[in-house]
Amino acid sequence: ASGPGFMRWTWESTMGRSGGMACGPSVGPVAVQGKGARQRRSPPVPRRKAKQMATNNDGTPGMSICLTVANHWSYVGIGWQLGLASCELSVIDSLELADRPPGLRTCINLDACAYELLAERCPATTARLRRYLDEGKVELVGGTYSQPMGTSIGGESNIRQLVVGRETIRRCLGYDMVTFLEEEEFSHPQVPQLLVDSGYRYASLCQVDTWGRAGIPLMERNTFAWKGIDGSVITTLPKTPLPYTP
């Protein structure tokens, strides 16, 4: 979902996005004469050739699917054990995918601490990452300073993780985080308020069962409006019945 601006791979029906004939934009309503009062209807829209997209194995039209490809790593914890080079390689992998046909656009999910250390010790990789971000070839998701289990720490720590994390990334990469997608469990009822007030526009709950069962309910929908206890709302990807393997 990009809508959070995520990378989309799409298979569409050969009948077009609407499920019927593929249509161009309407040129506006016209008046037609009917019995009694005048009626208004849209004029016929010229058909255009539908894009030839993938079909199922049995020859039936395909369907639209959006996939989010995220490269998750961190420095706090496992990155510290293996060294900063592991974080740099994670970034380079995503940049290389952007350069290879068909130019896959991935979401990089490191903690802000990792970007801070990369800016200090790996300036060439950081400069390349900044350039790719400016060109829209990769995206950053997450934004916390050290990828904590947000539900298990205090409210002040939650705020600092989000605010300091976003500020650190802005300072190191000139990038404003808008999508909150962390692999660690971070889904308590005040999260929508904290995200909105911190500057986020989107969130995801589909990936937070990595380190245990968070109890996120399954939802058969593409997005939903996650409402916090204060009334704040943020557009969110739900956890769905689709298979997920971290």
Side-chain angles (χ1 to χ4, degrees):
S2 198
F6 300 146
M7 170 63 189
R8 292 183 176 88
W9 286 356
T10 306
W11 291 264
E12 293 179 337
S13 165
T14 54
M15 298 178 68
R17 293 177 184 265
S18 64
M21 71 175 184
C23 298
S26 171
V27 295
V30 296
V32 296
Q33 191 69 41
K35 290 185 178 181
R38 289 168 62 87
Q39 301 174 348
R40 298 179 70 84
R41 72 182 182 195
S42 296
V45 180
R47 293 187 59 172
R48 65 185 181 192
K49 185 177 179 181
K51 294 184 292 185
Q52 297 297 316
M53 305 300 286
T55 58
N56 298 323
N57 291 334
D58 60 1
T60 57
M63 62 180 295
S64 295
I65 300 176
C66 292
L67 301 177
T68 299
V69 183
N71 190 337
H72 167 71
W73 201 247
S74 67
Y75 181 77
V76 176
I78 192 169
W80 175 81
Q81 292 175 315
L82 300 179
L84 186 62
S86 64
C87 298
E88 184 182 23
L89 288 174
S90 184
V91 170
I92 292 174
D93 284 345
S94 293
L95 303 183
E96 293 295 331
L97 284 172
D99 285 340
R100 300 173 186 172
L104 179 61
R105 185 181 180 189
T106 62
C107 301
I108 305 176
N109 177 216
L110 301 182
D111 44 15
C113 178
Y115 298 121
E116 190 172 37
L117 292 172
L118 286 172
E120 176 185 340
R121 305 178 190 177
C122 308
T125 298
T126 299
R128 186 182 176 194
L129 174 57
R130 289 187 66 132
R131 185 172 74 253
Y132 280 48
L133 289 170
D134 291 341
E135 296 172 356
K137 292 182 177 180
V138 295
E139 293 186 38
L140 304 185
V141 296
T144 58
Y145 188 79
S146 60
Q147 294 183 350
M149 301 287 189
T151 304
S152 64
I153 62 178
E156 180 69 18
S157 294
N158 272 226
I159 295 171
R160 289 182 178 274
Q161 282 286 337
L162 294 169
V163 173
V164 176
R166 291 183 82 253
E167 289 179 351
T168 299
I169 292 171
R170 186 185 297 113
R171 172 170 51 83
C172 295
L173 297 171
Y175 187 85
D176 283 323
M177 300 293 300
V178 296
T179 303
F180 182 76
L181 185 156
E182 291 286 16
E183 190 171 2
E184 285 69 28
E185 206 291 309
F186 206 133
S187 61
H188 58 78
Q190 284 184 293
V191 170
Q193 176 186 2
L194 299 181
L195 296 181
V196 171
D197 288 346
S198 299
Y200 287 91
R201 297 172 57 195
Y202 311 104
S204 174
L205 290 174
C206 64
Q207 74 293 330
V208 295
D209 280 354
T210 304
W211 302 107
R213 297 300 172 216
I216 303 297
L218 300 181
M219 302 177 68
E220 297 262 4
R221 59 181 65 244
N222 293 326
T223 62
F224 74 103
W226 186 11
K227 187 175 182 179
I229 58 177
D230 75 319
S232 298
V233 175
I234 188 167
T235 301
T236 303
L237 293 175
K239 185 174 179 62
T240 72
L242 294 175
Y244 167 75
T245 302

